Amino acid sequence: MKKIKNYIVGLGLPILYYGALTGILTAALVVLYKWCVVRVVEWSSIGYAYVRAHLWVLAIVLPALFGLAALFAWVYKKMPNLRGGGIPTSVGVLRGLLTFRWLRNLIGVFVMSLCSFLIGVPLGNEGPSVQMGVSVGGGLLAPMGKRQKGWGRYAMTGGACVGFATATGAPISGILFAVEEAHERVSPVLLMVATVSVVFGRITSECLSPLFGVSQELFHVPSTLALGIGDLWLPILIGLAFGLFATLFLKYHKYMRAFVRKTLKKVGNTYKIFAVFFLTVVLGLLSTSFVSTGHAFVESLFATRAVWWFLLAALAVRSTLTLFANVSGVTGGIFLPTIAIGVALAALLGELFIGGFGLGEEYYILILALGIVACIAGMMKMPITAIVFAVEALSCYNNILHVIVVVAVAFFITELLGAHSIGDSVLHARLEENAEGKHVTVFESFVCVQAGAFAEGKQIRDILWPANMFVLSVAHPSNEAKADGLGNKVLRAGDVLHIRYSTYDEQRTEKELFDLVGQQTMQAEEIERV
């Protein structure tokens, strides 16, 4: 009975409390945000139509864009975590690799991403939605006592999952986001926090979306053709094409980053951001399919086919402009723009298969859907999420086998060629920038789990330790330490942990550790300094 009580008090109630609050608040905020995005994108389309008809307005627009670029550069200097993709930044925070101030981050990403969308920069709203969810989770823990601080990254993870689920209309994919993308590990506590958060978030979204007139679906996908065993060649070829393209796309990202960091090293951030805005406006005047979030572009391709040369132009322009905007630090997500790039490639493949191989036109919608799935698996390296997303958001429930095949092929090709996900590439680039000129130090030490600490009663695998920290061994003074049937050590008061960690900031790492095991005096031995 005591064990059950401790479990409910130590795990059940906090998971329910933080999960429910984070889910409700994040979903409400993201629904409001989606409503704002729809209005802003509409204004952007109207603005582009007006400028096309009255080109003299560019004399006013361009100076205004330069002033806005200067404002962006100033804000990024004060709040660097607003730069670039929202999901990579969020993942860095959730893994303990980046820090942020939750309120400034929340307001900043909300406002600045809307400014990006107004201009038409090809970045998406799902990244900011995830980042705002992380901010909401962080804000809930801000006034709490030290024992509750250990729940910080769990609550932020729940917020990130709700942000993703509400932005994409895929709740199960949102839950999987916690284990496949955010932490790259499976933990019962993580899954419970993510699940509770997404459940309450989905209920809130169901209630508020009709009031705001906001669709909960990411795309309106018509019913897809059911394929047979004899059609397995199709997902194999699509997966192969996307695996190769993903590898080239990620190499292009490295080239673009090197170009901006080295060739444009002496160019101020204001001018780089203005270059993004200027190119966006010029290309947007040619065709709005080249700019904006990519949502309308994807919807248009699901509704009607396009000529091959236009698709090729859209693929090249969107790839270049999205990556340039990202490496230049403009606020916005890369999930939806990457899908838009993938859909352009899938549409090209559709034209090849239908026009060149004599495939029936009824295959076209399914080719686009399989292309999105291959894009998520190959370019974002989230294969399990891709499979679930295909069922939740793309109406591929009649083609599960073909979905699995296209995911497996695309993922295998990128693994074979050593390609990382676009999100990891962006995050690694950010970490390299932050670490420039700093030295990392490796420490070893021993800490004792204090009575009443967050770690007491929890398994080692369920604790989100500070970044780059490893528990080498666990000892109990009375030799009564026990493992459960699966070999997972449940920590108790008095357990002594032998730890090793590498850090750029020893004080910050110690603070995070003490939030988990309790305040104490720790003697850390320096092992290596790089």
Side-chain angles (χ1 to χ4, degrees):
M1 183 63 70
K2 183 178 179 181
K3 182 179 180 181
I4 295 176
K5 179 182 178 181
N6 290 338
Y7 185 87
I8 292 174
V9 174
L11 276 179
L13 291 179
I15 288 173
L16 181 61
Y17 174 76
Y18 291 118
L21 274 182
T22 304
I24 293 170
L25 294 176
T26 300
L29 180 63
V30 172
V31 169
L32 172 63
Y33 176 66
K34 289 173 69 176
W35 180 85
C36 293
V37 170
V38 171
R39 303 285 86 75
V40 168
V41 170
E42 287 177 352
W43 297 339
S44 179
S45 297
I46 294 172
Y48 272 104
Y50 185 83
V51 174
R52 283 194 201 96
H54 308 83
L55 290 178
W56 62 266
V57 177
L58 286 173
I60 301 173
V61 170
L62 294 181
L65 290 179
F66 186 82
L68 188 61
L71 177 62
F72 269 47
W74 179 81
V75 172
Y76 293 149
K77 188 175 182 180
K78 300 293 182 181
M79 294 180 282
N81 280 342
L82 296 181
R83 299 174 61 241
I87 289 180
T89 299
S90 300
V91 169
V93 172
L94 297 178
R95 295 179 186 175
L97 300 169
L98 298 174
T99 59
F100 76 122
R101 296 183 180 180
W102 71 272
L103 185 57
R104 292 171 63 179
N105 188 82
L106 178 62
I107 297 173
V109 75
F110 192 106
V111 174
M112 296 191 68
S113 62
L114 291 179
C115 292
S116 299
F117 302 151
L118 182 62
I119 297 168
V121 179
L123 297 172
N125 65 302
E126 76 301 321
S129 297
V130 171
Q131 197 167 348
M132 286 188 287
V134 173
S135 299
V136 170
L140 287 177
L141 270 295
M144 298 297 180
K146 287 188 176 181
R147 176 178 168 81
Q148 300 302 315
K149 294 294 185 183
W151 285 103
R153 282 161 65 193
Y154 295 88
M156 289 190 289
T157 299
C161 294
V162 176
F164 185 86
T166 307
T168 62
I172 303 177
S173 300
I175 295 172
L176 290 175
F177 179 85
V179 298
E180 191 171 36
E181 177 70 4
H183 296 285
E184 296 183 327
R185 55 184 284 195
V186 178
S187 158
V189 174
L190 270 178
L191 282 173
M192 286 190 288
V193 171
T195 301
V196 171
S197 299
V198 169
V199 166
F200 278 90
R202 183 66 180 184
I203 294 172
T204 303
S205 177
E206 292 272 4
C207 295
L208 294 182
S209 292
L211 297 178
F212 282 85
V214 173
S215 173
Q216 295 190 75
E217 298 177 343
L218 183 59
F219 305 120
H220 299 289
V221 181
S223 297
T224 55
L225 176 71
L227 300 180
I229 298 296
D231 294 313
L232 281 176
W233 63 271
L234 184 60
I236 291 175
L237 288 182
I238 294 174
L240 179 62
F242 269 87
L244 295 174
F245 178 79
T247 304
L248 293 175
F249 183 75
L250 294 170
K251 288 184 179 294
Y252 193 27
H253 173 259
K254 290 182 180 180
Y255 167 79
M256 188 70 71
R257 176 171 169 263
F259 173 76
V260 171
R261 290 198 65 191
K262 296 178 181 179
T263 307
L264 303 182
K265 183 177 181 180
K266 296 183 179 180
V267 178
N269 286 336
T270 297
Y271 294 95
K272 294 176 187 175
I273 297 170
F274 175 69
V276 173
F277 293 169
F278 177 78
L279 289 174
T280 298
V281 170
V282 171
L283 293 169
L285 290 175
L286 294 176
S287 173
T288 51
S289 294
F290 293 158
V291 298
S292 194
T293 63
H295 185 271
F297 175 66
V298 173
E299 292 278 13
S300 69
L301 290 182
F302 272 115
T304 182
R305 291 165 58 186
V307 294
W308 68 268
W309 57 265
F310 177 79
L311 294 171
L312 192 60
L315 181 66
V317 169
R318 278 196 162 273
S319 296
T320 301
L321 194 53
T322 296
L323 291 180
F324 185 38
N326 179 264
V327 298
S328 299
V330 180
T331 304
I334 56 176
F335 180 85
L336 183 53
T338 303
I339 285 181
I341 293 168
V343 169
L345 175 59
L348 274 171
L349 293 176
E351 294 302 313
L352 174 63
F353 294 147
I354 294 172
F357 294 178
L359 205 63
E361 292 190 7
E362 64 272 16
Y363 285 83
Y364 177 73
I365 298 297
L366 182 60
I367 291 173
L368 296 190
L370 291 177
I372 293 177
V373 176
C375 177
I376 297 174
M379 298 171 72
M380 305 178 199
K381 305 298 284 287
M382 298 191 294
I384 301 176
T385 301
I387 294 172
V388 175
F389 189 83
V391 177
E392 282 192 296
L394 302 175
S395 304
C396 290
Y397 39 80
N398 290 329
N399 296 292
I400 296 298
L401 175 61
H402 301 80
V403 166
I404 294 173
V405 170
V406 77
V407 165
V409 173
F411 188 78
F412 174 77
I413 294 297
T414 55
E415 286 291 295
L416 183 66
L417 298 177
H420 299 288
S421 73
I422 181 63
D424 281 347
S425 297
V426 173
L427 177 58
H428 291 162
R430 174 74 60 81
L431 295 177
E432 284 182 9
E433 292 177 8
N434 291 350
E436 195 170 349
K438 298 180 181 179
H439 297 281
V440 62
T441 307
V442 181
F443 294 96
E444 270 195 24
S445 187
F446 293 87
V447 292
C448 180
V449 177
Q450 304 296 303
F454 172 84
E456 184 183 9
K458 296 181 178 63
Q459 297 180 0
I460 293 177
R461 65 175 179 176
D462 284 332
I463 299 173
L464 297 178
W465 302 99
N468 302 314
M469 176 174 288
F470 303 92
V471 178
L472 303 179
S473 64
V474 183
H476 194 280
S478 63
N479 293 322
E480 295 177 357
K482 295 181 180 179
D484 62 17
L486 299 176
N488 298 299
K489 179 69 175 66
V490 178
L491 298 178
R492 295 186 298 169
D495 281 353
V496 177
L497 312 181
H498 182 194
I499 59 174
R500 176 179 292 173
Y501 57 95
S502 58
T503 181
Y504 293 102
D505 187 341
E506 184 181 1
Q507 291 184 341
R508 173 191 157 198
T509 301
E510 288 186 0
K511 179 182 180 302
E512 292 177 358
L513 176 62
F514 294 157
D515 286 341
L516 299 173
V517 300
Q519 193 69 34
Q520 58 195 278
T521 301
M522 182 179 75
Q523 298 296 326
E525 178 185 357
E526 183 176 320
I527 303 298
E528 184 182 4
R529 183 178 176 85
V530 181

